Amino acid sequence: MKETSNNGQYSLEKTLPPHPHLPKLEPPRGTRVSSEEATHQSSFTVDMMKLIRQSGNAISKRISILHENDDVSKNDLDESDVAEFEISGVKVLVKLKSEEEIRGRVAFFSRSNCRDSTAVRSFLRERGFDFSEINIDVYAHRERELVERTGSSQVPQIFFNEKHFGGLMALNWLRNSGEFDRRIKELLAEKCCGDAPAPVMYGFDEDEGGGVDEMMSFVRVLRQKLPIKDRLMKMKIVKNCFSGAEVVEILIHHLDCGRKQAVEIGKKLAKKHFIHHVFGENDFEDGNHYYRFLEHEPFISNCYNFRGSTNDMEPQDAVMVGQKLFKIMTAILESYSSEDHSRVDYMRINQSEEFRRYLNLAQDLQRLNLLELSTNEKLAFFLNLYNAMVIHALIRIGRSDGMIARRSFFTDFQYVVGGYSYSLNSIRNNILRGGHRQSYAFIKPFMRGGNTHHKLGHSKLNPLVHFGLCDGTKSSPVVRFFTPQGVEAELKQAAREFFRNGGIDVVLDKRVVHLSRIIKWYKEDFSEGKKLLKWIMSYVDANKAGLLTHLLGEDGGGSVHIVYQDYDWSINS
């Protein structure tokens, strides 16, 4: 804090600390810093920043003079030439732009999970192009523009400035012909004009045609007139609640209807998750039964897809929302992760328009009817939701070291989905594992009477789900997203990739098999001993399968020792 004076009035000026990811100032090697110098180090930093700001205009003016100065001509310099000068002790190097430098813009239309779009993206990255990608699965309104420009909705379609170049076949032909560099210079020699496909704009949403829920006229009246207060029930203080009888009386007077009709309206409100019984004992009944609004639930403050008020729009079809979730998260993964998805750029995701749209989509989950989903749709939905929530959690709260911090990450970061709260732990254990408790669990599985967890949980354990869940760590499976129609095959592929990339190691001479610690944590979901190794043989390459066959064969001799690998909790960024 710094104190300043202005006409006899004093105010405090706050000096912001440097960003934690920036390197700290250090003295030259071999020098010693006195305590007085250390005390004024932050003051020096502020003064240095002022110097840089004050020099900014001078640098800009000096660069302009260089361009106008006949003595420093662009024609007299090759690509390696630079102009050098000093301003207030700051050394500045200015490299003049080459006439052949690319000044245009590359854009291409794509879809999520499209192999040809991935090939185009990889090629442009390898060649170092700055390009604008327009994913029509995320920006659906741009599909019409694509059809108008090309006559088809087929992707990928590449544009150099306003010129339509073609798709992957055209790109491969140009690359194989050896004419790629020359043609690119010709196509991108001029600056982009207004007729080129516009880059994606941040903060603009197209109207998807959703309307306010038909029950909102009743909800508004109840929110205004119900006596919401704390009550004593079963020797407990129940906060922010009201009785079923109070709901019925208000609806009777408001609609001038009979009691039976008012009760039916109350049941519809409960079914659409506007209200819930405080202990989850029934959907809605007349009388001395207590209920509360969704926005007053005790868990709501921990739900990161709740932004101060519930989503009062008509809930979308759960299958459609699941498809949107897959498409938008696949687009994020393809754009902001490494080719093999083992490293994720969380900072760029946080700044992206795709992630902003995902956060809006997450609000649509609040009153979703999850019971509409089939078995495979439900499996894919919760696998995708888990992996999306991990990305959101790492961006929003990060993750610290230590068991307590990890427990908080997996239990305290929650979404409200279908009217109830879901943490990462509850999705994994209550839904995907059907309520089974892991041997090394941080806490018992969360089960609240009356919610839909028990209705949505899988009755049969499927060990493959553990290879489809990414915890955002270097030792967990890589992040991926699943389709309902292919989820079983995709989980098997995820298991193969996990074991191929270090999930198993066989030391034949010592008769030792090193396995991921994930298998130890959820050993109830897998077989044990040699049965486990026989199961794993279906998901490893031929070399490791041969080693395991030798160890498990009758001629192998002796027992096989299973050792679990250390788990690397560092973030996969």
Side-chain angles (χ1 to χ4, degrees), residues 373-381 458 483-488:
L373 299 174
S374 67
T375 300
N376 282 348
E377 288 168 346
K378 180 176 59 179
L379 177 59
F381 176 86
H458 284 258
T483 61
Q485 60 272 20
V487 62
E488 291 290 345

Side-chain angles (χ1 to χ4, degrees), residues 210-276:
V212 176
D213 195 294
E214 61 180 359
M215 303 302 293
M216 275 305 299
S217 59
F218 307 123
V219 174
R220 293 191 188 99
V221 171
L222 293 174
R223 283 173 175 168
Q224 293 173 359
K225 296 186 177 182
L226 276 172
I228 300 173
K229 55 187 178 181
D230 299 347
R231 323 242 180 170
L232 181 64
M233 184 179 182
K234 296 183 178 180
M235 303 300 294
K236 293 180 180 180
I237 299 295
V238 182
K239 294 182 174 295
N240 299 320
C241 63
F242 47 85
S243 71
E246 290 168 338
V247 171
V248 171
E249 290 295 335
I250 290 174
L251 291 175
I252 289 173
H253 286 87
H254 177 69
L255 299 175
D256 192 20
C257 65
R259 202 167 196 88
K260 184 177 180 180
Q261 183 180 350
V263 171
E264 289 300 318
I265 293 174
K267 290 181 177 180
K268 289 182 179 179
L269 293 174
K271 185 177 180 180
K272 286 201 167 185
H273 304 294
F274 282 111
I275 61 175
H276 287 148

